[in-house]
Amino acid sequence: MDRFDLAIVGAGPAGMSAAQEAAGHGLRVVLLDEQARAGGQIYRDVDRVARLRGDILGADYTNGARLTAGLRHDAIHHVTAAVVWAIEEGFRLCYTKDGRGAQVAADRVLLATGALERPMPLPGWTLPGVMTAGAGQIMLKQSGVLARRAVLVGSGPLLYLIAAQMVRAGTPPLAMVETQTLADRVRAMRHLGGALRGWRYMLKGVKMLAEIARARVPRHIGATGIAIEGEGRAEALRFTRRGRAHRIACDTVFLHHGVVPNTQAARSLGVTHRWRAGQSCFAPVLDDWGSTDVPGLFIAGDGAGIGGAKAAEIAGRLAVLGLAAQAGRLTEAERDRHAAPLRVALARDLAARPFLDAAFPPFAEALSPADDTVICRCEEVTAGSIRGHARLGCLGPNQAKAFGRAGMGPCQGRYCGLTVTALLAEASGRSPDDTGYYRIRPPLKPVTLGELAAMEGSATETAEKETAT
Amino acid sequence: MKPVSPFLELEEGPRVSVTFDGATLDLPEGANLAAAMLAAGVDVFRHTPVSGAPRAPYCMMGACFDCLVEIEGVVRQACMVAVKGGMDIRKPHGGDDGPV
């Protein structure tokens, strides 16, 4: 089994910048990523796509090629299409590639597993034709595939970005149905002073809104009572605004009300997580260098708390400075000297975040869905069932699995975990921290017996070699 | 005949034939299988084992498992697979058999 100084999981902005920084300090790095090409979701396929569709996707996307270029380094071993399904302390990482299991060992691990879309359980959200807004963007980036008649639903900057990109690509969305309210805007205003230090983000927002307005995309702000209608697939979106009922016939519905840290791998290692009220999600507890309470394990990027691509890139470098110093490759003074300008840049980049979090909060109805709405897509468990479990004495998400299989499907609670915690917390009057979250166990992704049998350096193989020598 | 798709493809490229539940689809070679099937007009990828409800890709990044299909006997996430000519793709668990 190959041994590295550092194993990084995820080749998005945090993972790529961390790999480059680590190689620069003389560390041997293995970078494991599920996709065939580097970039993560934000810079998905940027090396191949920038020349094809860079004008549609914009400079914030094409700039990602700077990070992928940094991976071409002798000390960086980038394993593409590698699905990591177990990380054992010590560290041993098990992954699947090309239908075979494989393992690597590393002294330290950096998780750069990024974000997932916040679950948005609404009536009809499991129908074919309903996707996340991120999915719409991934299809545009990687495949050049665009929805002809789509409605964008929810709140947040990503909705404006994908709307603007659809406008540039010549198929604007039919409408934007936005869930944030005027009251949210007013509440956000107290963060405006700080946000103006992050003026680049605010300016980008103004430009995107102007593009959307020029294309005459209707915007319905403060929508409630949102439901997707259809027999066998999405056919229309219903909602209410200012007491008036609306119905928009469409083929595709893109849902989005924020992204949340993808904490599956960190939770499988027992990292302590706490509820972050301002972002309505759990995030790992970290020190200033991204170090967790598991020795040698670091987390950077959106998996550590939502900050966006630029912040993730900086955090990846900071984490490597921290772990390189821990490994004795840098003195603390050198570490701090390298970190100082990064910390200034990070603070500037994060300045607009409190404003954005307040202006575009999650959609209240999707945080506490109606009883008959499915919340666990895999096992088709409804919000009413979870409330029923609570009445029977179910206190936490792990018990909810036993009561009714929520979170037991192949996605392992990735798209219902936060909803289950919220519903149980609401029913018991306890905090999300006290209610807790699913215990995540390996395999993090399904692995077949065939893949295990074909594992290189498996326990039996190693034993045979040892016997032979 | 190619059904009308709710999706539009921006680029043309070499295409290959695959079968989905016995029907032939011409998909861009090397493309993301889930996106290519959606663009080819496939709207239902599988039916759930619990209620038999229809499902199709939701997240396109390997997290939701709603795009599961069976390829040459192995159940896989279509959004994590590249199109190859001759692929024999089916709905998992025998397709339309309903609840299992």
Side-chain angles (χ1 to χ4, degrees):
Chain A
M1 190 173 12
D2 284 342
R3 187 163 196 99
F4 293 85
D5 297 316
L6 173 65
I8 301 173
V9 182
M16 292 192 290
S17 72
Q20 191 183 3
E21 183 79 24
H25 294 290
L27 296 163
R28 278 190 73 234
V29 183
V30 59
L31 173 61
L32 300 163
D33 186 65
E34 290 185 351
Q35 297 297 329
R37 286 168 289 268
Q41 305 309 331
I42 190 83
Y43 303 126
R44 181 86 166 231
D45 269 17
V46 64
D47 287 338
R48 193 178 61 88
V49 171
R51 65 196 147 80
L52 294 173
R53 293 182 279 282
D55 50 341
I56 293 171
L57 293 164
D60 282 343
Y61 171 76
T62 53
N63 282 343
R66 183 178 42 79
L67 285 169
T68 56
L71 296 182
R72 284 175 225 122
H73 192 295
D74 288 346
I76 300 173
H77 182 53
H78 179 196
V79 188
T80 59
V83 179
V84 175
W85 46 264
I87 303 170
E88 292 161 15
E89 276 185 65
F91 289 94
R92 189 162 65 146
L93 295 90
C94 305
Y95 63 95
T96 303
K97 181 182 169 66
D98 300 331
R100 289 173 68 90
Q103 298 179 333
V104 287
D107 294 342
R108 286 177 178 74
V109 171
L110 174 67
L111 299 176
T113 49
L116 293 168
E117 295 249 3
R118 180 189 298 283
M120 197 164 176
L122 300 172
W125 77 309
T126 57
L127 286 168
V130 182
M131 306 177 84
T132 66
Q137 226 192 9
I138 288 167
M139 283 198 295
L140 172 59
K141 285 175 184 168
Q142 187 184 29
S143 308
V145 167
L146 275 158
R148 292 178 204 264
R149 298 168 66 243
V151 181
L152 305 189
V153 181
S155 74
L158 182 68
L159 277 185
Y160 302 131
L161 178 59
I162 185 171
Q165 289 170 338
M166 291 175 77
V167 166
R168 288 175 218 155
T171 61
L174 298 176
M176 305 194 63
V177 176
E178 300 179 44
T179 55
Q180 79 281 1
T181 63
L182 192 61
D184 296 326
R185 182 70 63 88
V186 171
R187 264 192 296 275
M189 281 306 156
R190 70 192 169 87
H191 300 290
L192 190 61
L196 292 176
R197 283 194 297 122
W199 59 270
R200 283 188 187 84
Y201 281 107
M202 306 304 275
L203 184 63
K204 270 181 211 162
V206 170
K207 282 183 175 163
M208 287 190 292
L209 288 174
E211 278 186 277
I212 295 162
R214 270 200 305 278
R216 298 178 192 281
V217 176
R219 290 179 63 197
H220 305 275
I221 295 165
T224 58
I226 300 172
I228 299 137
E229 280 181 2
E231 286 296 319
R233 77 174 325 285
E235 289 163 15
L237 186 85
R238 277 192 288 112
F239 63 96
T240 303
R241 189 188 175 217
R242 291 193 191 141
R244 217 184 114 212
H246 293 255
R247 184 180 186 276
I248 303 173
C250 59
D251 290 331
T252 305
V253 176
F254 287 128
L255 299 178
H256 175 81
H257 66 153
V259 294
V260 295
N262 176 4
T263 59
Q264 299 287 115
R267 285 190 179 277
S268 79
L269 280 154
V271 171
T272 303
H273 286 70
R274 288 238 172 77
W275 184 254
R276 194 177 279 195
Q279 295 194 327
S280 308
C281 62
F282 285 105
V285 177
L286 305 171
D287 73 5
D288 286 347
W289 305 98
S291 177
T292 70
D293 52 3
V294 175
L297 180 70
F298 291 72
I299 305 178
D302 276 357
I306 304 304
K310 289 296 292 178
E313 183 183 332
I314 299 167
R317 292 190 187 282
L318 285 169
V320 166
L321 291 173
L323 67 86
Q326 198 185 69
R329 306 293 182 109
L330 287 173
T331 65
E332 287 191 3
E334 285 168 334
R335 176 195 69 184
D336 294 347
R337 187 166 47 78
H338 286 300
L342 294 173
R343 296 212 183 274
V344 171
L346 184 62
R348 193 170 49 223
D349 193 78
L350 291 175
R353 196 54 53 175
F355 173 85
L356 296 175
D357 290 340
F360 303 105
F363 181 38
E365 287 173 26
L367 295 181
S368 182
D371 274 351
D372 54 1
T373 302
V374 167
I375 57 115
C376 167
R377 298 175 64 94
C378 296
E379 297 288 340
E380 299 181 81
V381 180
T382 62
S385 304
I386 301 293
R387 291 187 179 109
H389 303 338
R391 282 192 295 276
L392 292 172
C394 173
L395 290 173
N398 293 306
Q399 266 186 318
K401 289 186 185 179
F403 274 80
R405 293 194 60 81
M408 294 280 277
C411 103
Q412 290 193 310
R414 286 175 175 86
Y415 283 103
C416 68
L418 284 173
T419 314
V420 169
T421 295
L423 289 170
L424 292 175
E426 184 183 72
S428 66
R430 298 187 315 155
S431 70
D433 275 328
D434 288 339
T435 306
Y437 193 80
Y438 291 133
R439 192 175 305 113
I440 305 298
R441 288 201 179 92
L444 298 167
K445 291 268 177 103
V447 53
T448 66
L449 286 175
E451 286 162 347
L452 279 180
M455 180 117 97
E456 300 157 9
S458 63
T460 45
E461 223 171 276
T462 314
E464 277 162 20
K465 267 186 212 158
E466 279 166 6
T467 321
T469 47
Chain B
M1 198 186 77
K2 190 182 168 185
V4 177
S5 168
F7 295 92
L8 180 74
E9 285 172 285
L10 290 178
E11 286 136 29
E12 291 290 325
R15 300 177 93 88
V16 293
S17 291
V18 305
T19 59
F20 178 58
D21 274 358
T24 302
L25 300 175
D26 287 318
L27 306 181
E29 187 168 23
N32 180 288
L33 178 62
M37 285 172 64
L38 287 171
V42 175
D43 54 9
V44 175
F45 279 46
R46 69 182 185 106
H47 290 93
T48 61
V50 179
S51 73
R55 290 288 171 85
Y58 175 70
C59 80
M60 291 300 292
M61 54 180 266
C64 78
F65 293 78
D66 261 332
C67 66
L68 290 178
V69 291
E70 197 177 298
I71 304 169
E72 271 106 53
V74 182
V75 176
R76 299 177 68 183
Q77 295 170 289
C79 75
M80 303 293 282
V81 173
V83 172
K84 270 200 313 228
M87 276 178 162
D88 175 21
I89 308 161
R90 294 171 191 276
K91 293 196 182 96
H93 315 301
D96 291 301
D97 294 347
V100 177

